Amino acid sequence: MQKQISNLDKLTLSNDFLFKHVMLRKRICKHILEELLHTEIADITYLEAEQTIDVYPDSHGIRLDVRIADAANTHYNLEMQVKNPVNRATGKFLLPKRTRYYQAMLDTDMLQKGQDYDELSPTYIIFFCLFDFFQDSQRIYTFKKRCLENMNIELADEAVIMFLNTLGTKGDVSPDIQSLFDYINSNTITSNFTREVADTIVEIKNDKKVRDAYMTYEMRMKDLRDEAHAEGKAEGLAEGKAEGLAEGKAEEKTATAKRLLSMGLSVEDIAKATSLSVEQVEKIKAEQI
């Protein structure tokens, strides 16, 4: 019990659990959106925090930190991204295609049967990143679809993806957004706004319901880590078995080639008999000399 409480007390805004609960404070979340988009927002409604969307039973579900709609029916998805995930098998970064999938799932979930495409709401997918994914030092990277042949032509699908680089040094942001970046990076309070955020975090951490929710969250995360570890171990055993079989077959082919060489068969005939290349058989022959 004490360990779980201690873990919660150590959390900072970069933790997705705490980030979600801070964004659930309407005044803070609304102010951030207004400062980012340079517009006034009449009101916001929380569609569902940390929502999991499974459009089809066998589709890959997504867990959203915070999903919001404003009075004009523009939808926002806010995510905290601490690490830059990589596919270990391919070495490719996952974040770009993750945003593509998020956008597709949001649109599919939004449009009901019988509705026209123009009823899709404008959307903003906003990632708070503690790293510079594009390595250009921009504070904000905003993406909309444009024609490659004429960059002045925009595909007005009203879908926007924003990467907020808390480490950025280029591009203008409002003082409150910069102070928020500083607070995320170093937990340093440099404005009245980040003072409000910090006070809100203290209040959240002292909320018994939040503490109970965090204990549940920790157990769920532990279960997911255990499942991932078990799957990884099983995959490792399967890969090791496959590698062992492959090595065994290679050794068997080498042994057969050596026997046939001792019998005086030609390199070409041995290559055909063992499915080894001529170069491989010649190498085996040279090692026997």
Side-chain angles (χ1 to χ4, degrees):
M1 178 70 174
Q2 184 60 38
K3 184 177 184 295
Q4 298 291 347
I5 293 175
S6 176
N7 285 343
L8 175 60
D9 291 335
K10 293 176 182 178
L11 296 186
T12 64
L13 188 57
S14 62
N15 175 270
D16 59 352
F17 178 88
L18 192 57
F19 173 78
K20 177 195 73 173
H21 280 277
V22 172
M23 291 302 107
L24 287 175
R25 302 302 174 99
K26 182 180 286 189
R27 187 196 174 286
I28 291 176
C29 187
K30 179 173 171 288
H31 182 67
I32 290 173
L33 291 175
E34 289 178 330
E35 293 291 294
L36 281 175
L37 305 178
H38 308 289
T39 186
E40 290 187 12
I41 297 175
D43 194 14
I44 60 174
T45 302
Y46 292 93
L47 302 178
E48 189 173 348
E50 204 177 70
Q51 178 186 16
T52 299
I53 297 178
D54 291 292
V55 178
Y56 302 107
D58 57 349
S59 66
H60 181 85
I62 59 174
R63 182 177 59 83
L64 305 179
D65 282 350
V66 183
R67 189 178 175 194
I68 304 159
D70 65 17
N73 202 34
T74 298
H75 287 221
Y76 308 89
N77 170 218
L78 280 65
E79 301 284 331
M80 177 60 70
Q81 191 70 36
V82 176
K83 297 180 180 179
N84 189 8
V86 179
N87 184 322
R88 288 182 294 178
T90 64
K92 293 183 178 180
F93 292 104
L94 301 178
L95 202 52
K97 287 191 177 179
R98 180 180 169 190
T99 62
R100 170 181 164 183
Y101 192 71
Y102 273 33
Q103 184 65 63
M105 294 290 276
L106 285 172
D107 287 344
T108 305
D109 185 61
M110 193 184 304
L111 198 64
Q112 302 301 312
K113 185 175 181 180
Q115 288 185 302
D116 293 328
Y117 293 116
D118 64 357
E119 295 182 67
L120 281 172
S121 300
T123 59
Y124 286 83
I125 295 177
I126 303 173
F127 277 83
F128 288 77
C129 298
L130 276 70
F131 52 90
D132 188 356
F133 183 84
F134 301 99
Q135 298 296 308
D136 192 43
S137 300
Q138 299 292 337
R139 290 183 171 92
I140 299 178
Y141 299 93
T142 303
F143 291 87
K144 297 181 180 181
K145 297 183 181 71
R146 292 190 179 275
C147 175
L148 294 179
E149 289 74 19
N150 184 346
M151 295 298 287
N152 292 319
I153 300 175
E154 180 185 335
L155 181 65
D157 61 354
E158 297 184 307
V160 180
I161 296 174
M162 300 175 70
F163 296 90
L164 311 184
N165 171 24
T166 63
L167 304 176
T169 57
K170 295 180 183 177
D172 294 330
V173 294
S174 72
D176 278 355
I177 292 298
Q178 183 57 57
S179 68
L180 180 64
F181 287 176
D182 294 338
Y183 185 73
I184 292 173
N185 291 333
S186 61
N187 215 35
T188 303
I189 298 170
T190 57
S191 69
N192 291 334
F193 178 58
T194 48
R195 166 53 63 191
E196 180 181 358
V197 171
D199 290 345
T200 299
I201 288 175
V202 172
E203 181 183 332
I204 289 170
K205 289 181 177 181
N206 288 327
D207 188 322
K208 185 179 183 304
K209 290 184 178 179
V210 174
R211 288 185 174 277
D212 292 342
Y214 183 68
M215 290 178 67
T216 303
Y217 169 84
E218 280 278 84
M219 287 187 287
R220 187 178 67 184
M221 290 297 103
K222 182 180 183 301
D223 289 342
L224 290 174
R225 287 193 296 269
D226 290 345
E227 288 176 11
H229 178 72
E231 290 176 2
K233 187 175 182 180
E235 289 176 3
L237 289 172
E239 289 175 2
K241 185 177 181 181
E243 289 175 2
L245 289 172
E247 289 176 3
K249 288 182 179 179
E251 290 174 359
E252 183 181 339
K253 287 181 179 181
T254 300
T256 301
K258 288 178 179 179
R259 286 196 302 271
L260 295 177
L261 282 168
S262 66
M263 295 168 61
L265 273 69
S266 69
V267 169
E268 290 75 13
D269 288 340
I270 295 173
K272 290 178 182 178
T274 59
S275 298
L276 293 171
S277 68
V278 171
E279 291 76 12
Q280 287 174 311
V281 177
E282 287 179 341
K283 183 179 179 182
I284 294 170
K285 184 178 180 179
E287 291 173 352
Q288 285 186 313
I289 298 173

